[in-house]
Amino acid sequence: MNSTDCLNNRQQIKPVFVSGYGQFHTNEADPAKPSKRLTPYELLSRQDIEAMVDNPANEPKSLAQWMIASSLKSRVFAEQEKNGSFQAMVNDFDNNPTTLENLASIVASELHCNVELYTTKSATQDRQKARLIIFLAKPLTGEQYLICQGLMVDLFNKHGIESDPRVLEAGQLFYLPNRGEFYKSISVRDLNDFDPLEHWALEIDLKRTERIKAEQTAKAKQEEAKKRREALQASSDTSCKSLIVQFNRCFEVEDILLGAGYSQHGNNFRHPHSESGSFSASVKGGRVYSLSPNDPLYTANESNGAHDAFSAFTLIYHGGNTSDALKDAGDNWLKVGGESFNKACQRSYIQERENNGLGMLSNSLAQFSPSIDPVTGELIPLENTNDPFLDLMTMEVTKETVEKLDDAKFIYSKLIVAGHFIVFCAKANGGKTTIMVYVSAELAKSGYRVLYINADASASDLKTYAEHAHDNGYTLLNPDLTNGSAEKVIASLKGMSQQLDADYSKTVLVLDTLKKFADLMQKSKAKEFNNILRALTSKGMTIVCLAHTNKYNDADGKPIFEGTGDLRNDVDELIYFIPVKNEDGTMTVSTEADKVRAKVDNMSFSISADGEVSVLDGYVDTLSIAHEQQQYKEDESIIEFVQEQIKTTSKTVSELYQLGKDDGITRRRLQTVLNRYVEGRSKNPKWLTLKVPTHGCRYGLMADGYLSEILKKVGGG
């Protein structure tokens, strides 16, 4: 087909698309809102859209024109999926976008079809957020459209390009060209329109088969879980004291979803109060996550806190109240030997006491009500038994503990974990603020909302930090400069932690420094503040606190954080910054993880003389270097003494001792220093050894040229 034939074909086939203006444009009546303003939708032709690509409007997003890839005049997702006629495929590239040219090249090589590509209103030269429209040779049903959209997302994923997951929903609004400061478009209009039913015939059949298989697998898993529940009820086994573990053994996450009225489509589910009608909840590996903010299981994405069966049960049935969920699950959902799980475990506990000779607490189970640990779901007895290993067993590394290490989502390198409470410690002027300012900018670039509360900087420094925050897209806060106070910050954070439906999974809070907000030397005050921070992490927020170390290191030369031992117990990660100053005026700072709940990797940074931060390719053991530098400082007077004495003639240790003993130099100390900096043993050699005919050796200076060669070999300086 030549170009003229293709053009005529495009003009004869005029697919239409439902369209409106701004996200609130709707013509869907809502019985709950009889006064809601309704505005009829428009229909757009393909030629209308092509004209917009060539000559885009310039409107605020609140008035920007959108389309749905279907001709059905409805914004209801379920209606579009059931009755829509889709005459285009669309995609949205907002997160870490590639260039338009690269997108066009992929479409040309993989699909070889007509295409419309254009940048969004907020695109920049370096960040080309873009949208794609592929007109279709034949319309698709809602089911076909969703499968093909998924195949297109997979195609771009294969090339390392991330698509907006909302394009996988049938009624998703797709914004049309709207000119920004950087607008660019690429159109291919002289090829054939795309026929996904032919191009992806095999893949579509596989997707359908996968969906059917997923539903069958889920049903089989539910049957197995039902058998485990029945087996538990028929037994008297209370060996598993953790209600949560037992609940997750006896219920699949699909049991919870379907029981709560969710609809299933393969591994995807639609919550019963969905306004969009999209199957926005997905189950993978026995866990569920949801893309819908209206879904109580909303987690934004799979790596941002997917829920197991008990977690889903807690959120759906009990609004996130773990204590209520544990009581309900143990009283009503799980049974052992015909009685509730909680009562069976209580009875088992009493029996254990009797067997251990501790006597009965009471003949009435009603008077014996040990509480349940809200984290593990285990019974907390009123008194400890006489098991001598009881305290040790609380530190057992269980399978669940290891799985949590593996499942951690890192949001910066392998250092900062999403939803964790992290403390970085360093001595004064150890680079902690400089590095965290750099990391904050990197997190902002990755799409996180970063709130950096700096309560430990001078007014002149704050000006520099404010400019950096503004230029790099994060928020700098300072209580003193804005007539605030640490107390006001604490009150605000406490209020945020008490918001029942809050989701802070895309928020990072940096507190610089921790001691400005919590009295680290008073356990009660520090504990209260730590509880607030912990509550925020439970709602997805990542907390990063900067703290000081004590003036003196421990016996091994390692730093010690400033505060009580409770801080170390409360945080997820406690990591030290170990700095060393270099002769060229730069500083190398490496991390030294002290306590972790994820597989953190230590890393190294370089800070230039003017405060620029860069990440080093390899890890530098700055702790060893710092120890060497401190050791050299302690040895420096003896080094200078030896170098002066051997300047013209080499000498033995005995001769050097005779020359230095009047100045308080002991023979043992002298010999230690001589051995420490001798060529062949030291990275920083100061002298050579020369064997003598009699017992011992002589120490002599090295020529400058020889010294340079030695330093190259040992990597010292």
Side-chain angles (χ1 to χ4, degrees):
M1 183 180 289
N2 61 38
S3 298
T4 303
D5 292 334
C6 290
L7 180 60
N8 291 335
N9 187 48
R10 286 174 44 247
Q11 290 173 338
Q12 291 164 7
I13 300 173
K14 298 185 65 174
V16 288
F17 305 94
V18 62
S19 180
Y21 298 86
Q23 63 176 318
F24 300 112
H25 184 164
T26 182
N27 199 32
E28 319 295 336
D30 185 350
K33 300 176 182 178
S35 61
K36 184 173 75 169
R37 179 185 175 185
L38 303 181
T39 306
Y41 301 122
E42 297 181 2
L43 287 176
L44 288 179
S45 71
R46 172 187 189 149
Q47 283 73 17
D48 293 331
I49 295 171
E50 290 175 350
M52 292 180 190
V53 173
D54 296 338
N55 187 23
N58 188 358
E59 299 283 356
K61 188 169 182 180
S62 59
L63 301 175
Q65 189 170 6
W66 50 260
M67 64 173 273
I68 295 173
S70 163
S71 58
L72 180 67
K73 290 185 176 182
S74 173
R75 282 189 59 179
V76 179
F77 286 48
E79 288 185 12
Q80 287 288 3
E81 186 179 343
K82 183 178 180 181
N83 301 313
S85 178
F86 294 85
Q87 303 182 65
M89 293 172 59
V90 296
N91 210 337
D92 202 340
F93 308 98
D94 277 346
N95 193 22
N96 298 318
T98 185
T99 63
L100 278 192
E101 289 78 8
N102 191 29
L103 292 173
S105 174
I106 292 170
V107 174
S109 63
E110 296 275 4
L111 306 180
H112 193 66
C113 65
N114 293 321
V115 64
E116 302 292 332
L117 274 163
Y118 55 91
T119 55
T120 69
K121 190 174 183 66
S122 60
T124 64
Q125 178 68 47
D126 298 328
R127 194 170 173 81
Q128 295 183 27
K129 297 182 180 180
R131 298 196 172 98
L132 172 149
I133 302 175
I134 297 176
F135 295 111
L136 302 178
K138 303 172 185 175
L140 301 175
T141 66
E143 182 204 23
Q144 292 169 336
Y145 175 76
L146 291 180
I147 292 175
C148 292
Q149 285 287 107
L151 290 170
M152 178 173 58
V153 168
D154 292 344
L155 184 153
F156 283 103
N157 280 342
K158 182 181 71 174
H159 290 274
I161 299 172
E162 186 176 346
S163 306
D164 187 332
R166 288 174 294 186
V167 301
L168 298 174
E169 299 175 356
Q172 178 62 30
L173 301 187
F174 186 80
Y175 281 91
L176 293 164
N178 191 12
R179 187 182 297 277
E181 290 185 21
F182 176 88
Y183 179 78
K184 186 177 181 180
S185 67
I186 295 177
S187 299
V188 177
R189 298 171 183 169
D190 58 356
L191 298 176
N192 289 322
D193 289 338
F194 185 51
D195 186 349
L197 299 182
E198 179 180 338
H199 187 85
W200 285 327
L202 178 61
E203 290 86 346
I204 290 171
D205 285 342
L206 287 174
K207 285 285 185 181
R208 284 200 180 102
T209 302
E210 286 174 5
R211 189 196 74 211
I212 295 170
K213 184 177 179 181
E215 291 176 0
Q216 292 174 340
T217 300
K219 188 173 182 180
K221 287 165 59 181
Q222 289 170 259
E223 287 298 321
E224 289 298 318
K226 182 180 179 182
K227 291 178 181 177
R228 289 194 292 271
R229 290 196 299 273
E230 292 171 348
L232 178 66
Q233 183 172 350
S235 74
S236 58
D237 180 17
T238 57
S239 59
C240 177
K241 296 294 194 298
S242 171
L243 190 152
I244 295 175
V245 171
Q246 195 65 274
F247 189 94
N248 285 331
R249 286 176 181 168
C250 292
F251 290 95
E252 294 293 330
V253 70
E254 290 89 348
D255 290 317
I256 307 303
L257 299 178
L258 294 173
Y262 282 65
S263 301
Q264 184 176 8
H265 186 80
N267 285 325
N268 300 320
F269 291 79
R270 179 174 59 210
H271 67 93
H273 305 295
S274 171
E275 295 179 359
S276 67
S278 61
F279 289 79
S280 55
S282 298
V283 174
K284 183 179 180 181
R287 290 177 173 269
V288 59
Y289 67 95
S290 176
L291 300 175
S292 170
N294 297 321
D295 191 334
L297 300 175
Y298 176 61
T299 48
N301 56 62
E302 177 187 352
S303 60
N304 199 28
H307 305 285
D308 60 18
F310 184 79
S311 177
F313 169 76
T314 301
L315 288 165
I316 294 172
Y317 287 88
H318 295 282
N321 189 315
T322 306
S323 297
D324 288 351
L326 286 165
K327 187 175 189 312
D328 182 20
D331 287 348
N332 305 306
W333 287 64
L334 289 176
K335 293 186 180 297
V336 180
E339 62 183 353
S340 74
F341 180 87
N342 285 344
K343 185 171 288 187
C345 286
Q346 291 166 5
R347 188 182 301 281
S348 173
Y349 173 71
I350 292 176
Q351 186 63 51
E352 286 180 13
R353 287 182 58 86
E354 293 176 353
N355 293 342
N356 290 327
L358 298 178
M360 293 185 63
L361 290 173
S362 169
N363 290 326
S364 172
L365 282 174
Q367 296 179 23
F368 174 70
S369 300
S371 57
I372 301 174
D373 188 317
V375 176
T376 65
E378 295 186 8
L379 292 170
I380 302 175
L382 297 176
E383 301 176 38
N384 288 336
T385 68
N386 62 350
D387 183 357
F389 298 100
L390 190 62
D391 288 340
L392 281 177
M393 293 309 294
T394 63
M395 294 179 275
E396 179 186 3
V397 180
T398 64
K399 180 181 177 182
E400 289 75 16
T401 304
V402 174
E403 286 176 350
K404 286 181 180 179
L405 291 177
D406 291 333
D407 292 342
K409 176 197 173 186
F410 288 90
I411 61 174
Y412 178 74
S413 190
K414 292 279 285 184
L415 188 65
I416 298 178
V417 184
H420 275 208
F421 177 10
I422 308 155
V423 172
F424 290 106
C425 300
K427 290 185 176 181
N429 301 314
K432 55 184 178 293
T433 297
T434 303
I435 291 173
M436 201 58 225
V437 163
Y438 166 81
V439 172
S440 295
E442 295 299 301
L443 290 170
K445 290 177 187 175
S446 299
Y448 288 90
R449 181 181 185 183
V450 182
L451 305 177
Y452 195 121
I453 305 180
N454 192 324
D456 197 33
S458 64
S460 59
D461 286 339
L462 282 173
K463 182 178 179 181
T464 303
Y465 293 144
E467 291 174 354
H468 187 270
H470 181 268
D471 292 343
N472 289 278
Y474 66 94
T475 304
L476 178 69
L477 306 171
N478 178 269
D480 299 326
L481 199 62
T482 54
N483 296 319
S485 64
E487 288 74 19
K488 185 176 180 180
V489 171
I490 295 171
S492 297
L493 295 178
K494 185 174 183 180
M496 292 169 64
S497 72
Q498 294 172 342
Q499 296 290 323
L500 294 179
D501 299 324
D503 176 18
Y504 303 127
S505 56
K506 294 295 288 184
T507 301
V508 179
L509 175 68
V510 182
L511 296 175
D512 187 357
T513 60
L514 185 58
K515 71 178 181 181
K516 294 290 184 178
F517 305 97
D519 188 338
L520 300 179
M521 303 311 294
Q522 291 195 29
K523 285 190 175 185
S524 58
K525 290 184 178 180
K527 190 72 174 178
E528 181 180 355
F529 184 62
N530 290 349
N531 286 342
I532 294 174
L533 299 184
R534 180 55 73 191
L536 290 170
T537 63
S538 70
K539 298 180 183 299
M541 186 180 293
T542 305
I543 307 286
V544 177
C545 297
L546 305 186
H548 292 291
T549 60
N550 292 337
K551 183 177 180 180
Y552 299 104
N553 296 333
D554 65 13
D556 296 324
K558 293 184 178 180
I560 305 170
F561 69 89
E562 184 180 69
T564 66
D566 283 359
L567 175 66
R568 189 177 187 279
N569 294 334
D570 289 343
V571 302
D572 293 304
E573 279 82 40
L574 178 67
I575 300 172
Y576 290 102
F577 283 146
I578 312 294
V580 292
K581 293 182 178 179
N582 305 312
E583 292 182 359
D584 61 359
T586 64
M587 184 162 65
T588 303
V589 183
S590 295
T591 62
E592 181 77 14
D594 178 68
K595 178 212 173 169
V596 295
R597 287 179 177 154
K599 293 181 179 178
V600 170
D601 286 348
N602 284 320
M603 60 187 300
S604 299
F605 302 86
S606 177
I607 303 176
S608 68
D610 57 1
E612 292 294 321
V613 177
S614 59
V615 178
L616 299 180
D617 291 336
Y619 177 71
V620 179
D621 188 357
T622 51
L623 188 62
S624 295
I625 295 173
H627 179 73
E628 290 171 3
Q629 289 180 344
Q630 179 61 33
Q631 187 66 62
Y632 186 86
K633 187 176 180 180
E634 295 174 4
D635 296 339
E636 192 168 16
S637 61
I638 297 180
I639 292 171
E640 291 175 352
F641 161 76
V642 173
Q643 289 178 323
E644 180 65 28
Q645 298 303 322
I646 64 175
K647 186 183 296 183
T648 57
T649 308
S650 62
K651 291 182 174 61
T652 65
V653 65
S654 297
E655 291 171 335
L656 290 169
Y657 171 63
Q658 292 300 323
L659 291 168
K661 65 180 181 180
D662 291 342
D663 294 326
I665 298 176
T666 66
R667 185 183 180 99
R668 182 177 180 181
R669 176 82 173 120
L670 178 63
Q671 185 68 70
T672 299
V673 173
L674 287 169
N675 292 341
R676 186 173 287 142
Y677 299 98
V678 71
E679 182 269 331
R681 298 183 187 175
S682 174
K683 288 184 179 180
N684 190 16
K686 300 299 179 185
W687 38 75
L688 292 165
T689 56
L690 307 169
K691 289 187 177 182
V692 295
T694 57
H695 180 70
C697 60
R698 302 182 70 84
Y699 296 88
L701 286 181
M702 293 180 286
D704 290 342
Y706 180 72
L707 176 60
S708 299
E709 289 301 315
I710 291 297
L711 291 178
K712 288 179 183 178
K713 290 179 181 179
V714 300

